[in-house]
Amino acid sequence: LRPAPPPVAVFDPRDDGIPQSSKETMMPWNGWFSSLLQSKLGDKNYQKMREFLLWDANDIHNLEGVPRPNTKIPINKEGTEFAQFRYPSPGNRKAVNIPNEDDEDPYNNAYYPTDTRRRDNDPANPNPDVERLKVSLMDQSNPKVKEMAEKLAAGPASSPGNKGVFATGKTSYDPSGLRAAMSANHTAVNAMLDDHMPNHLPISTWVKREDAIISRLEELGLPMRAGGTGFGKVPVRRRVARWGSEFGGAVYSEELDDK
């Protein structure tokens, strides 16, 4: 019971190089039944039937969820001002220029092949190198240890990937299988993660003095410690908490006098 949709609206022409919408409707068949009823019943009876069957027969949007571009909505009592889709509408804008590198797919937003921060956090798929080290330190004659070694050698049993075979058939647009989650597998994901592992991690300042620190501790007969803390270079007054001070931080006049 709805009239045929009008052609897509064309707004005031502007010489800005923006393509204009077509004046021809893309659904000429739509509304044929309503037009047939209106021609048989007459305008008056047709309107009565619409008011009886439709929730709001006089809805300015014709009960459509999205307003049409040519629909003008009055916004004042006099009916002289209207609200309408903006010009140019999003469909008439120039195509967006998305820069890419090496013809990469701009719509590939899969995060898991490059999510190095959460790598090996899954208890079901831990770091294989760490797990092999754990197994090597255990009793190799223990049946449970042998079972752990076999499972580790077999690799994860989940997410084998569909090898590019989807409900629509075989696909070959992504040989790696990482374009879609259903075709992804652990081997391909780990290979991609290896390529994206960060190589700019900072190191401590004592790393350059590592050999000198080890030699000094061995000379003094002291146990090895983690790093070079330089704790002995901090003045005593800075390491002793005093009542009313900022945990040994501030230097007061009495300390300078004592010095």
Side-chain angles (χ1 to χ4, degrees), residues 8-190:
V8 179
V10 177
F11 297 92
D12 296 338
R14 303 183 184 183
D15 188 15
D16 51 8
I18 299 177
Q20 301 297 314
S21 303
S22 173
K23 297 181 180 180
E24 300 294 333
T25 177
M26 298 182 181
M27 297 182 294
W29 62 88
N30 196 6
W32 69 269
F33 185 65
S34 300
S35 301
L36 178 62
L37 288 179
Q38 188 173 5
S39 63
K40 298 298 182 181
L41 299 177
D43 295 340
K44 186 176 181 179
N45 293 331
Y46 175 74
Q47 184 63 23
K48 287 183 179 180
M49 183 178 64
R50 291 185 77 249
E51 292 177 354
F52 176 77
L53 295 177
L54 299 180
W55 176 69
D56 186 2
N58 297 320
D59 179 37
I60 191 172
H61 299 300
N62 201 24
L63 299 179
E64 296 178 355
V66 179
R68 298 183 181 181
N70 63 329
T71 302
K72 293 184 178 182
I73 306 172
I75 57 177
N76 62 349
K77 295 181 180 180
E78 293 77 12
T80 57
E81 297 181 1
F82 302 90
Q84 194 174 2
F85 267 112
R86 69 182 185 272
Y87 175 86
S89 62
N92 289 341
R93 302 291 294 182
K94 292 182 178 179
V96 178
N97 181 20
I98 304 177
N100 56 65
E101 183 179 0
D102 299 330
D103 297 328
E104 293 182 354
D105 185 359
Y107 302 102
N108 185 6
N109 57 359
Y111 69 95
Y112 51 89
T114 57
D115 188 13
T116 58
R117 184 176 66 86
R118 289 184 287 187
R119 187 179 188 180
D120 304 325
N121 285 354
D122 185 6
N125 187 26
N127 189 313
D129 295 332
V130 175
E131 296 303 311
R132 278 191 289 267
L133 180 60
K134 292 180 181 179
V135 172
S136 64
L137 298 176
M138 298 180 184
D139 184 8
Q140 302 300 314
S141 61
N142 192 314
K144 293 185 177 181
V145 176
K146 293 182 179 180
E147 183 181 356
M148 293 174 58
E150 293 175 357
K151 290 183 179 181
L152 185 61
S158 62
S159 301
N162 61 5
K163 296 179 177 58
V165 180
F166 294 87
T168 55
K170 180 72 174 179
T171 59
S172 58
Y173 62 89
D174 181 25
S176 68
L178 300 178
R179 185 63 176 80
M182 293 184 63
S183 60
N185 57 79
H186 288 288
T187 303
V189 171
N190 288 331

